[in-house]
Amino acid sequence: MSTFAAVMTGKGTGAIATVQIFGDTARDILEEIFKPAGSRRLKFKTGNILLGTITDGDETIDQVTIGCEAANTFAINCHGNPLIVEMIMQLLGRRGATLLSSQELLAKILSAQQSLNTIAIEAKLTQLNARTLQGTKIIANQINGGLAKKASDWLDNVNTTPLEQIAAEAEQILRDSRPAKLIIAGCTIALAGPPNSGKSTLLNYLAGRQKAIVTDIEGTTRDWVSARCQIGPLSLTLIDTAGLDEKLAATSGSSVEKTAQERAGRIMAEAELILLVLDNSRPADQLDRMLLEKIAGRLVPSTSSRQALSQAEGKVLMVLNKSDLPARFDPGKLPEDFSNTVQISAKFGTGIKTLKEKVLQITDSADFDPKTAVAFTTRQESLLQQLTNAKSKQQAASIITELLIAPLRV
Ligand SMILES: Nc1nc2c(ncn2[C@@H]2O[C@H](COP(=O)(O)OP(=O)(O)OP(=O)(O)O)[C@@H](O)[C@H]2O)c(=O)[nH]1
Ligand SMILES: [Mg+2]
């Protein structure tokens, strides 16, 4: 016998908060700690809403309503002071409920519903955190169509379909999952480049407000600054970094400078896409060249820089800024296989439309059809990966079955 409880509303103070309790002994626990108001005693019957107080021995904790959602599921609606919420949670814990996060509790409740397959449960859980409407649509489409349909079709026809065909389809789903994941979970873009190239100006323009400080002094940005913006179906976190200049770090003797450079490097390595902002109004120099090679080297550290450059190309968009000034930059001096380039003026907004189109193109998220079958959890991804290597029909069938009906580990 087990019972679980979680706070379902957001952290912090609100007018009300909801604590959900679910399990075999949920009702017994509530009967011990809940005192109904008035003389008319309503029962803990599905559909009823009870008014009363939660008490701990002689002490009254709060006046609440309890929604009886099912024989083993109740929602306690209490006042939203976090201290009251915490006291109710602790009381439930002392009465034998296991305290969980809202996500974990939801997973338990959904897993108990026999009618849902595992992909549907994962969809309902992942949908809570989707960053865009398009993301929620992609996930919703996987429940009856998309991945769930593909998996049940595979299972129905596993004996008559060649293994190679199943493997190829699984690979296609994995490929389509990359843009889908960016649309669902959001995408981080690092703005990198030499000092004074206009990174902060670009961040401010894309964010639509003056978030980062802009001056003509080299090395203005030290600590990173982030801002949110939306491009098509993508919810982006833009991160402005310190101008990359190893000489500055080495000669200034300042640990601030050194740390700023290290941080910029880390942010770039973790970003899904780098906008390498270069100044179009001055000749390309050694620093620009070095930066390109370095950025590529950071992304694919084990390969030679030239090879790394082309591999990294998908992740780097070269932005030639200050196009309102006479052009003195010669891209010919840069490694030739660096073809993702766009010219803009961050100060006046010229070329930003093209920049946005390129971002969508590089992330494959332009015109992404939300009905496409995709994997949206690491569990699904790893099973699809296994499916691409299945050695027999029996093995394939067992992987697909697991994809559809394995119990969720929560
Ligand atoms: N003419 C022109 N000037 C620009 C443009 N973008 C930025 N600037 C100017 O270039 C200077 C540097 O801009 P910032 O945005 O601070 O450059 P940054 O790359 O963030 O510089 P650091 O933080 O020092 O690395 C400022 O004087 C900006 O007004 C542009 O498109 N055209
Ligand atoms: Mg700056």
Side-chain angles (χ1 to χ4, degrees):
M1 293 233 289
S2 49
T3 289
F4 308 92
V7 184
M8 304 308 280
T9 35
K11 281 206 174 75
T13 308
I16 57 160
T18 301
V19 171
Q20 189 99 17
I21 171 161
F22 163 74
D24 310 345
T25 58
R27 185 186 161 148
D28 300 336
I29 295 175
L30 287 178
E31 276 178 342
E32 283 173 28
I33 63 169
F34 176 73
K35 283 210 167 60
S39 52
R40 201 169 142 252
R41 299 226 147 187
L42 277 174
K43 295 209 167 69
F44 283 101
K45 206 175 112 203
T46 305
N48 279 351
I49 296 176
L50 316 179
L51 174 69
T53 49
I54 295 282
T55 57
D56 185 5
D58 293 337
E59 195 186 344
T60 299
I61 297 181
D62 194 23
Q63 188 177 47
V64 301
T65 62
I66 295 183
C68 306
E69 297 182 350
N72 59 359
T73 315
F74 303 89
I76 306 171
N77 299 300
C78 59
H79 290 96
N81 183 325
L83 297 170
I84 292 177
V85 177
E86 183 57 30
M87 277 165 80
I88 293 176
M89 286 298 281
Q90 281 180 11
L91 178 61
L92 292 172
R94 285 202 300 278
R95 299 290 172 141
T98 305
L99 308 186
L100 302 176
S101 70
S102 57
Q103 195 102 348
E104 289 166 335
L105 183 74
L106 215 53
K108 295 261 181 218
I109 295 174
L110 292 169
S111 303
Q113 292 176 17
Q114 309 275 323
S115 57
L116 291 176
N117 68 45
T118 313
I119 295 170
I121 297 171
E122 288 173 309
K124 284 176 190 280
L125 292 171
T126 313
Q127 224 172 12
L128 296 175
N129 295 324
R131 290 271 298 273
T132 57
L133 192 59
Q134 185 80 348
T136 63
K137 280 189 195 160
I138 293 174
I139 297 170
N141 282 324
Q142 306 309 314
I143 300 178
N144 296 318
L147 184 63
K149 176 153 190 329
K150 189 82 241 174
S152 47
D153 285 353
W154 276 336
L155 209 52
D156 289 346
N157 303 308
V158 74
N159 289 327
T160 50
T161 318
L163 265 186
E164 301 73 43
Q165 186 184 327
I166 296 180
E169 288 174 0
E171 263 165 31
Q172 183 60 46
I173 294 176
L174 285 168
R175 269 194 299 278
D176 289 334
S177 304
R178 272 181 239 138
K181 226 167 163 181
L182 295 180
I183 296 171
I184 293 167
C187 171
T188 304
I189 296 192
L191 297 163
N196 241 2
S197 62
K199 301 176 291 299
S200 301
T201 309
L202 179 58
L203 176 106
N204 290 345
Y205 191 92
L206 289 172
R209 61 198 176 109
Q210 299 304 306
K211 185 95 201 256
I213 299 172
V214 169
T215 73
D216 56 3
I217 304 164
E218 291 201 353
T220 299
T221 306
R222 276 350 202 329
D223 211 350
W224 54 271
V225 179
S226 74
R228 289 264 176 93
C229 87
Q230 179 97 20
I231 298 183
L234 285 180
S235 168
L236 303 174
T237 304
L238 303 165
I239 309 186
D240 182 19
T241 60
L244 294 164
D245 188 346
E246 281 182 339
K247 267 194 286 164
L248 204 68
T251 53
S252 76
S254 142
S255 63
V256 177
E257 213 60 70
K258 201 162 161 264
T259 313
Q261 298 289 311
E262 281 167 7
R263 267 195 201 164
R266 214 174 321 130
I267 288 164
M268 281 158 50
E270 285 167 10
E272 267 95 27
L273 175 66
I274 296 172
L275 298 189
L276 177 64
V277 184
L278 301 172
D279 188 340
N280 195 43
S281 71
R282 63 166 183 78
D285 62 11
Q286 185 61 28
L287 179 61
D288 299 321
R289 224 180 344 266
M290 204 189 70
L291 277 179
L292 272 178
E293 304 234 339
K294 213 172 144 202
I295 282 175
R298 247 185 236 289
L299 295 172
V300 196
S302 57
T303 45
S304 76
S305 67
R306 189 149 188 93
Q307 195 190 350
L309 204 60
S310 54
Q311 285 186 18
E313 206 174 301
K315 268 192 81 171
V316 184
L317 172 60
M318 193 154 77
V319 180
L320 296 177
N321 188 31
K322 309 195 186 183
S323 65
D324 53 293
L325 299 175
R328 295 176 62 211
F329 191 88
D330 179 7
K333 293 241 177 89
L334 297 174
E336 75 227 15
D337 45 1
F338 216 89
S339 58
N340 273 324
T341 306
V342 61
Q343 285 217 12
I344 65 154
S345 165
K347 195 168 178 174
F348 298 103
T350 328
I352 297 289
K353 193 165 167 268
T354 316
L355 174 104
K356 289 182 175 176
E357 283 165 6
K358 289 246 177 196
V359 167
L360 295 179
Q361 207 182 321
I362 292 173
T363 52
D364 287 328
S365 52
D367 306 321
F368 188 86
D369 180 358
K371 293 208 171 79
T372 313
V374 296
F376 52 91
T377 67
T378 45
R379 184 194 76 92
Q380 296 165 2
E381 268 171 8
S382 107
L383 286 168
L384 286 172
Q385 204 67 57
Q386 288 174 35
L387 197 53
T388 62
N389 293 316
K391 299 282 177 281
S392 66
K393 298 220 164 176
Q394 202 183 9
Q395 195 191 0
S398 111
I399 296 168
I400 301 163
T401 309
E402 194 175 341
L403 183 62
L404 273 172
I405 56 169
L408 265 194
R409 268 185 233 114
V410 282

